[in-house]
Amino acid sequence: MRVLLLGADGFIGRRVTDRLLVDPELQVTVLGRRDSADIRFDLTTGSPGALARFLDAVAPQVVINCAGATYGSSRTLIRANTLAVATVCEGIRRSREPARLVHVGSAAEYGPVPGGVPVSESAEPRPVGPYGVSKLAGTELVLASGLDAAVLRVFDVVGPGAPTASLFGRLAEGLRRALEREESQVRMPDLSGYRDFVDVRDVARAIQAAAVSAATGVINVGSGHAVRAREAAQLLVRASGFEGSIVEENRQVLLPAQAGGTVEHLAGHGVGHHLPGHRPVEPRPVEGRVAAGEPVPWRQADVRTARDRLGWRTQVPLEESLGDVWLETACRV
């Protein structure tokens, strides 16, 4: 099977490349802006007609689009996540033999959802920021294109290679600096939200499965479990061996749980304590309610579609995933 891969240099794209290149059944061509690409082409500035000519030359049976932007100005996000997708769809439509398209979407397209329950693909998307809006627009373009296409709506991706601007990429770098400088605190944003963390290697497996399947439409890709970001951060802290405190900006201090100890959160006081024998009860989101205007406090994927249509399940536990984040960060020269 001939595959054209877009976005091979990104966090997800690098792992997809690793999987595809070792599959003897696949012939992979990479299209992108960098010199390492087999075909140099900028999706944000190139024309659909020019892309169609490249497609005719390669004649892929599947196009996998991992390209896009997670950070940047609204204009940057729209160009990378919407305009580029329009170019991809139109380029495929204009090609002599239109390929199947597997597009990487984002759980940010859903926006706020009822707490305490997993969100299914049938939920009405209500993105709250430029990133989610730009990704949803890209997804809508794919779904309306008339192509044989699947959109994998990926939840909160973690694992080795995590960008330093991401939550755990930032935490890992902060822990590394603190250990090198013998500092006692690492500052982080609010970690009270619940997220569905999925390892980047599992995401790559899902994308490969979608490429060789006949599944179409939106498919959630996540672990199917919601974990408080604060608890996930603890796994990374423990992997690093850091014994200081994690200060959540404008909220609280999170102290690492020691053997036989506990973690205490005092919201608004900026202090933390170990209280032997006592573990505070943290309120879980109220099922069926979402406060208007507040940041997304809950994200959990309903992954039944991925299981049933792709035969896909996660394989990498969160603890292993975050341990690998720390291992990569600690070994970086």
Side-chain angles (χ1 to χ4, degrees), residues 104-193:
V104 177
S106 170
E109 298 170 32
Y110 286 121
V113 297
V117 293
V119 58
S120 71
E121 292 87 352
S122 62
E124 184 70 26
R126 294 183 299 153
V128 294
Y131 172 69
V133 170
S134 67
K135 290 296 291 184
L136 177 60
T139 290
E140 294 295 342
L141 286 169
V142 172
L143 298 179
S145 67
L147 299 171
D148 172 15
V151 176
L152 302 191
R153 200 164 264 165
V154 179
F155 279 63
D156 298 80
V157 189
V158 297
T164 54
S166 68
L167 180 65
F168 293 118
R170 172 178 172 177
L171 177 56
E173 286 296 329
L175 291 168
R176 178 182 178 183
R177 287 195 303 269
L179 289 167
E180 288 176 347
R181 300 172 185 176
E182 298 184 348
E183 297 172 345
S184 61
Q185 291 186 347
V186 175
R187 301 193 69 84
M188 287 292 291
D190 175 29
L191 299 170
S192 63

Side-chain angles (χ1 to χ4, degrees), residues 8 12 25 49 142 145 168-169 174 214 228 238 247 263 265 279 289:
I12 294 175
E25 301 297 321
V142 172
S145 67
F168 293 118
R228 192 184 283 271
R238 292 185 186 122
V247 181
V263 179
H265 310 288
R279 179 179 296 275
R289 296 179 58 188

Side-chain angles (χ1 to χ4, degrees), residues 16 28 41 55 60 87 90-91 111 128 133 137 148 172 184 191 196 212 253 263 269-270 276-277 296 316 332:
V16 173
V28 183
F41 187 81
L55 288 166
T87 298
E90 184 60 24
V128 294
V133 170
D148 172 15
S184 61
L191 299 170
D196 188 326
V212 299
V253 171
V263 179
H269 292 275
V296 179
V316 184
R332 191 178 300 138

Side-chain angles (χ1 to χ4, degrees), residues 3-9 17 28-32 36-40:
V3 178
L4 181 66
L5 176 61
L6 318 178
D9 293 319
T17 304
V28 183
T29 301
V30 172
L31 181 146
S36 58
D38 300 310
I39 300 172
R40 291 285 303 278

Side-chain angles (χ1 to χ4, degrees), residues 9-89:
D9 293 319
F11 177 33
I12 294 175
R14 287 194 298 271
R15 294 296 174 179
V16 173
T17 304
D18 291 344
R19 287 201 63 86
L20 298 185
L21 289 179
V22 299
D23 188 335
E25 301 297 321
L26 302 179
Q27 178 183 325
V28 183
T29 301
V30 172
L31 181 146
R33 292 180 295 182
R34 300 193 180 183
D35 292 337
S36 58
D38 300 310
I39 300 172
R40 291 285 303 278
F41 187 81
D42 189 337
L43 292 170
T44 64
T45 59
S47 71
L51 179 59
R53 289 191 288 275
F54 285 126
L55 288 166
D56 288 340
V58 175
Q61 289 147 298
V62 179
V63 174
I64 298 176
N65 184 26
C66 297
T70 308
Y71 311 99
S73 66
S74 296
R75 175 173 293 189
T76 296
L77 294 171
I78 291 170
R79 290 176 68 87
N81 299 332
T82 307
L83 177 61
V85 177
T87 298
V88 170
C89 292

Side-chain angles (χ1 to χ4, degrees), residues 56 60-61 91-101 147-148:
D56 288 340
Q61 289 147 298
I92 294 175
R93 274 201 303 263
R94 294 188 189 185
S95 63
R96 284 195 294 266
E97 296 187 13
R100 171 173 169 77
L101 174 60
L147 299 171
D148 172 15

